[in-house]
Amino acid sequence: MRKILTIILPLLFLISCSKESQDQQRNQGNLVIPAVEAVQSQFGSLPLVERFSGNVVSENQVELYPEVNAQIAEVYVENGDFVNKGDVLVKLQDEPFQKQLQQSEANLKINNARLKQAKAQLSTLEAQYKRIQALAEKDLSSELELEQINAEKISAEADVELAEAQVEQSAALVDERKNQLTKTLIKAPVTGTIGQRNAQPGMQASASTPLFMIGDLSKLRVEILLTESMLNKIKVGQTAAISVTDQNGEIVTISGELSRISPFLNEITRSTEAEIDIDNQNGLLNPGMYVPVDIFYGESQQATLIPTSAIFIDPNTGSEGIYIANSIGSEIKPVSDSASGVSSLTSPTDVTFQEIDVIARGKMEVAVNGLESGKWVVTLGQNLLSEGRVQARVKTIPWEHVIRLQQMQREDLLNDVMKDKQQTPEKPTL
């Protein structure tokens, strides 16, 4: 029975509302005069801004890989630890590398001994050659003996050169083994904070296994992509505003400057990378975050300014324009009702739709041609006017109020709705 009532009661409520609406239409004509909000247009220049999506990375951000393949013996750091350049982070099992070094050092000793033997043999043959050569000069020895001893001496010289090459090769192998042994102690290549720890004792690590991410979190860099057409207006040194949410859920703007732009465009995407250096002393940004970035690149020409929420696209014609409350004079100012603190509604006022020529678009405002400053433009309720209504009751609101509403995110609006719902006492269920 409770489920049936739950279904029937909303239907009865809708029927009742529909009947009240029909009664109002019969009393006031074919169309109900809606209530809308309007703000007074202004005259001035518009800050030109382009919005990008930025990727946050830390300065000297390095992904650390082992240089040798081995099992991890010990890990000395955790996520969030601060390390200095040269600090030992991981120790790999080094027994195999110790044995390889011992073998290479033994092989070097053997080759050094062979070199000594070859040099001793060469010295003996050189002495014999000199003796036979002296005898040959006195015709006490034949030319054949001299040629034979000379050939043996040349062969001994080649043996010495071969032994020397083997010693050099063995020495190089010893240095390589020592270098590999030192790589079993993995050290921090830069000063920074440890993150994305993947190293675990007992894990088999290879050159393709990422162990950590290290970076300086106090100095960050926000990377954005610029298209080919943007390079004509976006320049190094222009002001950048980065929006981020703080611990209280409030939107905070971090100011900076465009630090550098790569002059080389990608041949496929026709885009290039620009970077903004940020001092992250407040700790609001973290590497890997995706943040909105506004780049301010100048100001528009002097023109009439209206909030972006005033622009309405007619669903019937597709034309872009605004609704103007013609009967409200430019001298009228937003008025708040002293009792409720809310602006009162005007009497029924004529409204007309007017197409506009947008000459510049800002973050919260647009500059237009063909509209006098001081005119009251509708910022809320245009969809009610698009149904053919030519009159409305207007709530005149301050410019700052409209801008604040435009800055609110969907989550903020949802929170406001939920707060109102919680503050409103529920009707007892029948």
Side-chain angles (χ1 to χ4, degrees):
M1 183 66 181
R2 184 181 183 91
K3 291 183 178 179
I4 296 175
L5 288 174
T6 305
I7 297 174
I8 293 176
L9 288 175
L11 291 175
L12 293 174
F13 178 75
L14 290 175
I15 293 172
S16 175
C17 291
S18 175
K19 187 176 184 302
E20 290 181 6
S21 176
Q22 291 175 358
D23 292 341
Q24 290 177 353
Q25 289 182 1
R26 282 193 294 267
N27 295 334
Q28 301 181 15
N30 292 331
L31 294 175
V32 177
I33 298 178
V36 299
E37 290 185 353
V39 70
Q40 200 170 22
S41 60
Q42 300 180 356
F43 185 78
S45 60
L46 178 69
L48 300 178
V49 60
E50 191 77 37
R51 169 154 287 196
F52 302 89
S53 293
N55 182 44
V56 181
V57 298
S58 66
E59 187 174 286
N60 296 329
Q61 182 171 313
V62 178
E63 194 168 21
L64 189 59
Y65 292 83
E67 297 183 65
V68 293
N69 298 341
Q71 191 178 55
I72 295 177
E74 295 182 64
V75 181
Y76 301 109
V77 292
E78 298 286 348
N79 284 329
D81 288 350
F82 181 83
V83 297
N84 292 305
K85 182 179 179 180
D87 288 351
V88 178
L89 309 180
V90 173
K91 180 181 179 181
L92 303 177
Q93 294 286 356
D94 60 358
E95 289 84 356
F97 300 97
Q98 292 278 10
K99 292 180 179 178
Q100 290 175 359
L101 176 58
Q102 292 173 0
Q103 291 174 355
S104 62
E105 288 176 337
N107 190 48
L108 176 60
K109 291 180 179 179
I110 293 172
N111 287 327
N112 276 321
R114 288 174 178 172
L115 176 59
K116 289 180 179 179
Q117 288 179 342
K119 286 182 177 181
Q121 180 67 19
L122 177 60
S123 297
T124 300
L125 291 173
E126 285 177 340
Q128 291 180 0
Y129 177 79
K130 289 179 181 179
R131 181 173 57 83
I132 294 174
Q133 187 180 38
L135 293 173
E137 291 176 353
K138 298 178 181 180
D139 294 330
L140 298 177
S141 178
S142 65
E143 289 289 334
L144 179 60
E145 288 179 322
L146 184 61
E147 290 177 357
Q148 286 179 346
I149 195 65
N150 185 51
E152 291 178 6
K153 183 175 74 70
I154 293 174
S155 178
E157 290 174 348
D159 289 341
V160 170
E161 291 179 357
L162 177 60
E164 289 176 341
Q166 289 174 338
V167 168
E168 290 179 1
Q169 186 179 42
S170 298
L173 183 59
V174 169
D175 291 339
E176 181 181 346
R177 297 304 188 196
K178 287 181 178 179
N179 186 40
Q180 287 183 332
L181 182 60
T182 61
K183 290 178 179 178
T184 58
L185 291 178
I186 301 176
K187 301 179 180 180
V190 297
T191 297
T193 303
I194 295 292
Q196 297 184 10
R197 170 182 160 170
N198 186 43
Q200 299 295 338
M203 185 178 76
Q204 185 67 30
S206 66
S208 60
T209 306
L211 301 180
F212 306 101
M213 184 74 77
I214 307 177
D216 187 354
L217 300 186
S218 64
K219 297 180 180 179
L220 302 181
R221 184 174 67 251
V222 180
E223 300 173 344
I224 61 175
L225 290 179
L226 302 180
T227 61
E228 184 178 3
S229 60
M230 294 177 184
L231 292 177
N232 295 326
K233 56 185 179 181
I234 305 298
K235 304 294 181 182
V236 172
Q238 290 175 343
T239 301
I242 301 162
S243 300
V244 63
T245 304
D246 65 9
Q247 61 271 18
N248 298 320
E250 300 291 334
I251 302 297
V252 177
T253 300
I254 301 175
S255 298
E257 288 185 354
L258 194 61
S259 304
R260 62 194 67 88
I261 298 175
S262 172
F264 302 101
L265 275 71
N266 185 289
E267 295 181 356
I268 299 176
T269 62
R270 303 301 175 187
S271 62
T272 189
E273 191 174 81
E275 298 173 347
I276 305 162
D277 293 333
I278 296 296
D279 189 354
N280 192 38
Q281 296 299 329
N282 53 16
L284 293 177
L285 294 175
N286 288 301
M289 292 179 66
Y290 209 50
V291 294
V293 180
D294 293 319
I295 303 295
F296 296 87
Y297 58 92
E299 291 189 349
S300 69
Q301 65 188 64
Q302 294 284 317
T304 301
L305 305 180
I306 60 173
T308 55
S309 59
I311 298 178
F312 180 74
I313 299 178
D314 193 321
N316 300 318
T317 63
S319 57
E320 185 180 52
I322 57 175
Y323 281 96
I324 303 175
N326 297 307
S327 302
I328 303 179
S330 60
E331 71 281 356
I332 302 298
K333 303 298 179 185
V335 179
S336 296
D337 183 75
S338 58
S340 62
V342 179
S343 300
S344 58
L345 293 173
T346 66
S347 57
T349 302
D350 292 339
V351 291
T352 57
F353 182 77
Q354 176 180 322
E355 294 186 9
I356 55 173
D357 176 23
V358 178
I359 60 175
R361 294 181 184 270
K363 184 178 179 181
M364 296 292 169
E365 307 157 329
V366 295
V368 298
N369 275 334
L371 178 67
E372 296 179 9
S373 61
K375 290 289 187 179
W376 290 89
V377 294
V378 178
T379 57
L380 184 65
Q382 296 99 317
N383 58 315
L384 302 175
L385 301 175
S386 65
E387 299 176 359
R389 297 178 174 88
V390 295
Q391 284 191 328
R393 299 185 66 194
V394 181
K395 176 183 177 181
T396 57
I397 57 176
W399 184 276
E400 295 76 14
H401 175 74
V402 180
I403 300 301
R404 186 180 65 82
L405 288 179
Q406 292 180 169
Q407 289 175 334
M408 294 180 70
Q409 303 294 319
R410 291 184 179 180
E411 291 80 4
D412 299 325
L413 295 173
L414 180 59
N415 290 336
D416 288 348
V417 172
M418 295 302 295
K419 287 180 181 178
D420 292 341
K421 186 175 181 181
Q422 292 173 357
Q423 293 173 357
T424 303
E426 294 185 359
K427 296 181 178 180
T429 304
L430 296 178

